[in-house]
Amino acid sequence: TQSQAVDKTIPYGAWPSPVTEEMLTGQTIGIDEPGSDGTTRYWLESRASEGGRKRLIREDESGSREPITPADINVRSAVHEYGGGAWDARDGIVVISNYTDNRLYRIEGEPVPITPDVRHWRYADLLVDPARNRVFAVREDHSMEDAEPVNTLVVLSLDGPNEDGGRVIVSGSDFVASPTLSADGTQLAWLAWDHPLMPWDGCELWKSDIGDDNELTSIRFVAGGHRESIFQPRWAPNGDLVFVSD
């Protein structure tokens, strides 16, 4: 028999193809939140083949790299819904936020939880201070039904168990973010803003002295406002507070 070609019009996107979605995205690796601890480099890696789960990767100065969080840990935060600052490392001490149960873990081979199994607390913008055995974090409290979650800046012991979820040291604004500590550990700075602003519309930079007892004193406004956005405050080695303003 003689075969005959048949012309057929098919809508865009409906053409039969041997190239599947799995072939295109199944082995995709995403890179996020790069950082360092001295000469050791870290970043988050997410794999489509693992449902987008994020693992923390460590690379030493020789170029040798390995994941330091197990496959059942998802290093991610849902604070402010879009997360960020889900890990920090200082002097070899690593703390991560686990998206699965919203707990903070210290990574010492096996992950060790340093916050209780309370899912209504979420943590982000982690800042590890090994010299004083503490970690700062933005904590978002979702415990109140039919109310906006409460954002505060808290300090926690690196050893845990921190049953109170962390000691609140900054509160009163709708949102806080980006805690940063001076090199000598005596000054703390952070960002704050209120509804209906988004931080790129306008926010405020504050700083204070902080003692070994974690009490804040001499709290003062630095810059920002309803029409000025401040970004990425950092302390310089000489004790100056450096930041970006639009």
Side-chain angles (χ1 to χ4, degrees):
T1 60
Q2 183 176 3
S3 62
Q4 293 181 337
V6 177
D7 291 331
K8 186 177 182 181
T9 301
I10 299 175
Y12 287 108
W15 308 320
S17 172
V19 180
T20 65
E21 293 178 359
E22 177 64 24
M23 290 172 62
L24 293 173
T25 64
Q27 301 304 314
T28 299
I29 297 177
I31 305 295
D32 197 9
E33 293 190 34
S36 63
D37 177 19
T39 58
T40 304
R41 293 170 288 275
Y42 295 87
W43 63 88
L44 296 180
E45 248 182 41
S46 59
R47 285 179 167 81
S49 59
E50 297 180 6
R53 182 187 304 277
K54 295 186 178 183
R55 300 180 72 178
L56 186 61
I57 308 299
R58 178 172 59 199
E59 181 181 75
D60 62 25
E61 55 187 328
S62 72
S64 175
R65 64 182 63 167
E66 62 176 348
I68 62 169
T69 51
D72 60 343
I73 292 283
N74 190 0
V75 186
R76 180 183 165 193
S77 169
V79 167
H80 303 162
E81 299 307 322
Y82 45 80
W87 71 272
D88 191 38
R90 293 287 187 279
D91 300 335
I93 305 297
V94 181
V95 177
I96 62 96
S97 173
N98 182 22
Y99 184 73
T100 306
D101 58 12
N102 291 336
R103 302 177 77 178
L104 292 181
Y105 289 80
R106 181 170 172 169
I107 305 300
E108 297 177 295
E110 291 297 319
V112 177
I114 62 173
T115 55
D117 189 8
V118 179
R119 294 180 182 271
H120 61 244
W121 287 327
R122 303 177 183 179
Y123 299 91
D125 276 358
L126 309 184
L127 174 62
V128 175
D129 181 22
R132 297 158 193 87
N133 197 46
R134 62 188 177 183
V135 55
F136 298 91
V138 173
R139 189 186 74 186
E140 193 172 75
D141 188 345
H142 289 252
S143 62
M144 292 170 288
E145 295 184 5
D146 302 320
E148 286 282 331
V150 177
N151 273 248
T152 55
L153 185 60
V154 299
V155 60
L156 310 100
S157 165
L158 283 171
D159 297 326
N162 297 294
E163 294 294 345
D164 59 356
R167 175 183 172 183
V168 176
I169 57 174
V170 175
S171 61
S173 58
D174 291 336
F175 303 98
V176 288
S178 304
T180 180
L181 190 67
S182 61
D184 62 4
T186 65
Q187 295 187 86
L188 184 71
W190 65 92
L191 298 177
W193 68 97
D194 293 304
H195 286 304
L197 293 176
M198 298 298 282
W200 49 83
D201 297 320
C203 59
E204 296 176 342
L205 175 62
W206 293 79
K207 71 175 182 179
S208 74
D209 297 336
I210 182 170
D212 290 336
D213 58 359
N214 296 318
E215 287 288 340
L216 300 189
T217 57
S218 301
I219 299 175
R220 52 250 192 230
F221 170 79
V222 178
H226 285 187
R227 295 186 178 181
E228 181 183 6
S229 176
I230 306 298
F231 177 69
Q232 209 168 43
R234 294 290 187 272
W235 293 95
N238 66 355
D240 288 342
L241 180 58
V242 182
F243 58 92
V244 178
S245 168
D246 67 352

